[in-house]
Amino acid sequence: MQTPVFLDHLPDISTVTGRKPELYRLARNRALTDLQLNDNAAWHSRSTCPACGEDIARSRIFSRNFLPFHRCQGCNSIYSAKVPAQQELDRLRQELPAASPPDSGEDREFEFISLLNWISLTEARTETRLETVLDYRFCSQAPGFEDAASRLSHKRSWRFLPLQAGAEDGYGQLRQVLREHAPKAVLVQAEMDRVADPALLLRTIRETVAKGTVVFIGTSCADGLEYEILGADSPSFIPLDRLNLFSVKGFEQLARDSGYTVLEASTPGRRDAVLLEQHFNSAENEHIPFWSSFFREASKDRLRDLQILLQRSLKSGVMRFALQT
Amino acid sequence: MTLRTAIIGYGKMGRIRHEAMERHGGFEVVVACDTQIDPDATVPMVTDPLAVYGYDPDVIVCSVPNMMIPDVVCEALARGKHVFSEKPPGRNSQDVRRMREAEAANPGLVLKFGFNHRVHDAIEEAKKLIDAGTMGDLYFIRGVYGKAGGPNYAQNWRNDPEQSGGGILIDQGIHMLDLFQMFAGRFTEVQSFVQRKFWTEVPVEDNAFALMKNPDGVIASVHSSATQWQHTFRLELYMRNGFISVDGILSASGSYGTEVLTVALNRLDKDGNPIPNPECQEIRFTEDLSWDKEAAEFHAAIADGMPVRSGTSGQALDVMELVEAIYAADPEWNAQLKSRVISAAE
Ligand SMILES: [Zn+2]
């Protein structure tokens, strides 16, 4: 298994803590509250960690805001103790007009290029040809992606399966599209942390595609310094979008248990350092040994050094896996 | 298939080869030869290279100084033995031609040279990335390989041209040149500066700079140095769509650092021009598997008839000719070489 590090400039802090992301957070939390007020909503309680299967009794409380969240003692993953039905989750995502996270021009374009280059370089290193890729729902999460993927992938054809509420019959539609198009690769970006049953999604893909298919997964990472220091106060922690906040170790185990070979694991998150700097500079009274003064005094150079160190140590708040069936 | 193996030259390299062959499991080292018997050696030892043949080996590992390599290799091939030899393949291209003649006269035998840099993980990854076509056409290559001369520099056989054929370029820089030709084929036009700055009491170069071009117009520049006080390996390949670099190379001493492969694909602006400073992917390699891969390739070539890919005599000839071309391309250095040959003859 390789552990690549993705080196780039630090993101603009306003894309994380500005007004638009705040509105998005509020809207998602309101949706979650409405769901909890709805007596007819069905919930599924979890008794084990969705990554490694460790008993919920062997976990610590991570947060009680909106939903009880636990941190697994076995693998460090963070997960909600109960989850709504997938159909309910899909409906909520589709109903929100502001459901697409904020756009920020060049940064968003660079994020798309990063995903596309990731696929190209993994394709070259694994000596496979990934002529056809299916995007599972990221096009709905990120409206510019479909255009960017089509525009920038010269030797690759893309299929897009957007989020569709109501039509969902488990993963029937995904199965059907996978069978019809038999893609050489599947992109599951920003999805794994917000589905009701991540193991089922992984298994569905593995059982439906041909052997040798590469599955690219991007999701939040519980090992990230932002979650270690800020916990549920991290602005990235939006409960409805983080029902499964996997650790690297936890997701690796889940992937293997689901029948995949793990080709690559990385934590290309670029936000931990700037989020923490912003946090400690806006909360002057907050004191955490070492870190509060570190971030108050850090220059942009130091923040970048730290972010790279976090990536190299697999300790940033976003992770990527390349899996093969 | 277990191959009875004799190691001629049981110094640092001979012992590294011995360990790799033990790890492989398909070799049984039956005898080792060196100028002095090591009482702690785990295999029988002899001091006469011809004495190893009394142990009925299938394979000869040749880890002797450069000037002895052709004799040892040709003798082994003539006796029907497969040969694995260290680099450089002798002192000059004439030495390689002689060994190639012996190889051609014994077509059933395997001859492989230890150009192990080709099979370092970071280098193999770089090759895969380029071969996939993702990076586009190769434009140019830059290579720096250097060290601090080391203890007993002036006394070391490596710096006696009669024994080694040259200085830092033929000893260490040759690996970089071999990689250049692995990526870009033969370089046919060469310009160079070769100099001796620090170790002036020996007649070999402690720095060589060369600029070269292949028939496709790919340009490469190399700097091979014994006064690079900070041990350095850096190989950069620039292509139409991005670049690859390898920083550090895993070595027996560990002093060149871990191997870090960096690769980037350009991001284009709306007009299709590359935006500066693209996102890079960095991959670290911490385990030197090159010795094991070489042992495995050598074994598979003998036991299974697989082709030798790295370290063929053809590659050895190409790189020795390039070394000679670099020495010859600096008129001042070339004049010194010639006067030395004349005074040695007198
Ligand atoms: Zn767990």
Side-chain angles (χ1 to χ4, degrees):
Chain A
M1 181 180 81
Q2 289 189 333
T3 55
V5 176
F6 293 78
L7 304 174
D8 206 351
H9 64 90
L10 292 179
D12 177 358
I13 186 70
S14 70
T15 64
V16 194
T17 58
R19 180 66 182 150
K20 271 179 94 176
E22 195 189 335
L23 287 175
Y24 173 78
R25 243 184 335 267
L26 290 170
R28 291 297 273 163
N29 288 341
R30 186 173 62 194
L32 178 56
T33 308
D34 289 347
L35 190 64
Q36 285 173 306
L37 289 170
N38 179 355
D39 288 337
N40 296 325
W43 292 82
H44 169 72
S45 290
R46 286 166 156 172
S47 58
T48 57
C49 166
C52 74
E54 182 78 87
D55 199 298
I56 198 166
R58 297 231 329 115
S59 65
R60 284 172 285 128
I61 295 292
F62 176 76
S63 161
R64 293 184 203 277
N65 292 342
F66 297 98
L67 269 179
F69 276 83
H70 292 245
R71 197 190 267 274
C72 174
Q73 300 276 53
C75 75
N76 204 42
S77 294
I78 297 161
Y79 59 96
S80 64
K82 55 176 191 169
V83 287
Q86 185 62 44
Q87 250 171 319
E88 206 58 47
L89 288 168
D90 292 348
R91 184 183 60 78
L92 292 175
R93 273 167 73 179
Q94 193 132 63
E95 274 177 6
L96 278 170
S100 57
D103 225 316
S104 64
E106 194 176 66
D107 253 27
R108 207 74 228 247
E109 172 86 355
F110 279 10
E111 182 194 341
F112 299 154
I113 294 174
S114 176
L115 285 169
L116 299 171
N117 286 351
W118 176 36
I119 294 171
S120 295
L121 293 175
T122 302
E123 172 188 52
R125 285 206 307 269
T126 52
E127 297 176 294
T128 49
R129 276 288 294 124
L130 309 176
E131 306 98 324
T132 48
V133 190
L134 175 76
D135 164 51
Y136 181 63
R137 293 184 161 187
F138 184 54
C139 55
S140 301
Q141 188 78 12
F145 182 65
E146 199 168 329
D147 165 62
S150 308
R151 179 161 42 88
L152 298 167
S153 300
H154 304 298
K155 294 181 189 158
R156 212 180 311 290
S157 72
W158 281 82
R159 295 277 172 178
F160 300 91
L161 178 56
L163 172 70
Q164 283 174 327
E168 192 64 35
D169 148 36
Y171 285 112
Q173 198 196 6
L174 172 62
R175 265 199 206 94
Q176 190 192 330
V177 173
L178 287 172
R179 281 208 194 97
E180 253 169 50
H181 298 295
K184 293 286 169 59
V186 182
L187 175 66
V188 186
Q189 171 69 16
E191 196 62 30
M192 216 40 96
D193 42 9
R194 61 205 71 183
V195 295
D197 189 345
L200 179 62
L201 174 55
L202 280 178
R203 213 167 51 237
T204 301
I205 296 172
R206 209 257 306 146
E207 286 169 356
T208 317
V209 298
K211 193 165 168 46
T213 304
V214 182
V215 181
F216 293 89
I217 290 169
T219 187
S220 323
C221 174
D223 301 323
L225 191 65
E226 55 167 308
Y227 298 117
E228 290 287 348
I229 295 183
L230 300 180
D233 288 341
S234 167
S236 316
F237 187 75
I238 301 162
L240 204 43
D241 291 336
R242 300 288 181 267
L243 301 170
N244 327 288
L245 226 173
F246 292 111
S247 66
V248 172
K249 184 180 155 194
F251 192 76
E252 191 185 337
Q253 182 169 344
L254 177 64
R256 288 189 208 281
D257 291 349
S258 307
Y260 290 90
T261 303
V262 179
L263 302 176
E264 290 172 20
S266 59
T267 66
R270 294 185 293 137
R271 292 170 165 186
D272 305 72
V274 289
L275 281 177
L276 286 157
E277 186 235 23
Q278 165 90 6
H279 175 85
F280 285 108
N281 279 310
S282 62
E284 279 173 31
N285 296 326
E286 192 161 343
H287 179 77
I288 294 178
F290 182 79
W291 291 114
S292 39
S293 64
F294 177 91
F295 283 109
R296 282 181 192 124
E297 291 158 18
S299 66
K300 222 177 164 185
D301 266 359
R302 281 297 81 72
L303 293 177
R304 187 169 189 274
D305 291 346
L306 175 67
Q307 194 62 44
I308 291 171
L309 175 70
L310 293 176
Q311 280 207 36
R312 285 184 177 145
S313 320
L314 295 176
K315 299 284 185 202
S316 104
V318 171
M319 67 185 178
R320 283 181 183 173
F321 271 79
L323 310 176
Q324 194 164 32
T325 58
Chain B
M1 182 196 275
T2 303
L3 301 170
R4 292 175 64 80
T5 303
I7 301 176
I8 302 180
Y10 202 52
K12 182 180 153 199
M13 287 313 302
R15 285 162 201 259
I16 286 174
R17 298 296 177 191
H18 187 175
E19 286 166 16
M21 287 175 151
E22 274 192 347
R23 282 194 298 274
H24 180 275
F27 299 89
E28 184 195 357
V29 177
V30 292
V31 61
C33 169
D34 210 294
T35 48
Q36 285 184 325
I37 303 282
D38 173 3
D40 298 328
T42 55
V43 290
M45 282 200 70
V46 295
T47 53
D48 174 7
L50 295 180
V52 303
Y53 295 102
Y55 289 78
D56 191 27
D58 305 307
V59 165
I60 300 295
V61 173
C62 171
S63 301
V64 297
N66 307 359
M67 87 292 191
M68 292 161 64
I69 284 178
D71 286 345
V72 171
V73 169
C74 291
E75 177 73 32
L77 291 170
R79 287 171 178 260
K81 311 300 178 189
H82 304 285
V83 181
F84 182 96
S85 172
E86 300 303 339
K87 50 61 43 184
R91 291 168 299 176
N92 48 49
S93 61
Q94 195 43 48
D95 281 351
V96 185
R97 286 191 197 94
R98 211 186 118 201
M99 291 186 277
R100 273 168 69 80
E101 278 168 26
E103 182 188 27
N106 297 279
L109 297 175
V110 174
L111 171 61
K112 174 176 161 72
F113 291 97
F115 285 101
N116 73 326
H117 285 40
R118 285 179 180 245
V119 293
H120 274 251
D121 283 346
I123 301 293
E124 286 190 332
E125 289 286 313
K127 187 84 169 63
K128 278 193 237 169
L129 286 163
I130 292 174
D131 289 349
T134 314
M135 311 298 299
D137 290 344
L138 178 61
Y139 285 174
F140 63 90
I141 311 178
R142 274 198 295 254
V144 174
Y145 204 174
K147 62 181 181 178
N152 302 320
Y153 183 89
Q155 290 74 44
N156 195 315
W157 63 263
R158 287 169 199 276
N159 298 310
D160 173 358
E162 298 305 316
Q163 298 191 64
S164 64
I168 190 68
L169 181 66
I170 197 171
D171 183 42
Q172 188 181 60
I174 194 169
H175 279 299
M176 190 61 88
L177 297 174
D178 179 52
L179 294 179
F180 282 10
Q181 301 204 111
M182 179 180 99
F183 284 112
R186 294 196 64 200
F187 284 89
T188 45
E189 285 180 61
V190 177
Q191 299 170 5
S192 75
F193 289 105
V194 181
Q195 56 177 210
R196 186 169 58 233
K197 282 284 189 193
F198 189 86
W199 281 284
T200 49
E201 68 271 46
V202 288
V204 298
E205 82 284 359
D206 54 24
N207 278 279
F209 305 81
L211 191 61
M212 55 204 104
K213 190 160 92 169
N214 81 359
D216 297 331
V218 174
I219 310 270
S221 77
V222 69
H223 177 200
S224 171
S225 178
T227 65
Q228 177 95 25
W229 309 122
Q230 171 106 337
H231 284 195
T232 300
F233 176 93
R234 185 170 169 83
L235 171 66
E236 301 171 0
L237 300 130
Y238 283 80
M239 277 72 56
R240 180 177 180 84
N241 302 334
F243 63 86
I244 296 173
S245 70
V246 176
D247 261 296
I249 196 94
L250 291 162
S251 64
S253 67
S255 60
Y256 296 85
T258 54
E259 275 163 49
V260 182
L261 174 90
T262 304
V263 53
L265 284 168
N266 287 331
R267 304 188 262 229
L268 306 180
D269 66 15
K270 296 247 179 312
D271 303 320
N273 298 310
I275 301 167
N277 305 323
E279 179 192 52
C280 296
Q281 238 190 74
E282 171 193 279
I283 302 173
R284 237 156 243 273
F285 298 92
T286 52
E287 202 182 347
D288 183 2
L289 302 173
S290 64
W291 316 113
D292 294 330
K293 288 187 203 166
E294 285 190 305
E297 194 193 62
F298 185 51
H299 191 276
I302 298 167
D304 311 323
M306 302 295 284
V308 172
R309 288 205 165 74
S310 304
T312 64
S313 66
Q315 291 160 1
L317 181 62
D318 288 348
V319 77
M320 279 308 238
E321 286 181 344
L322 185 55
V323 167
E324 286 172 349
I326 291 173
Y327 286 142
D330 179 338
E332 273 183 51
W333 189 260
N334 198 32
Q336 280 188 44
L337 282 184
K338 285 203 171 124
S339 67
R340 214 166 64 216
V341 172
I342 290 162
S343 64
E346 280 166 359

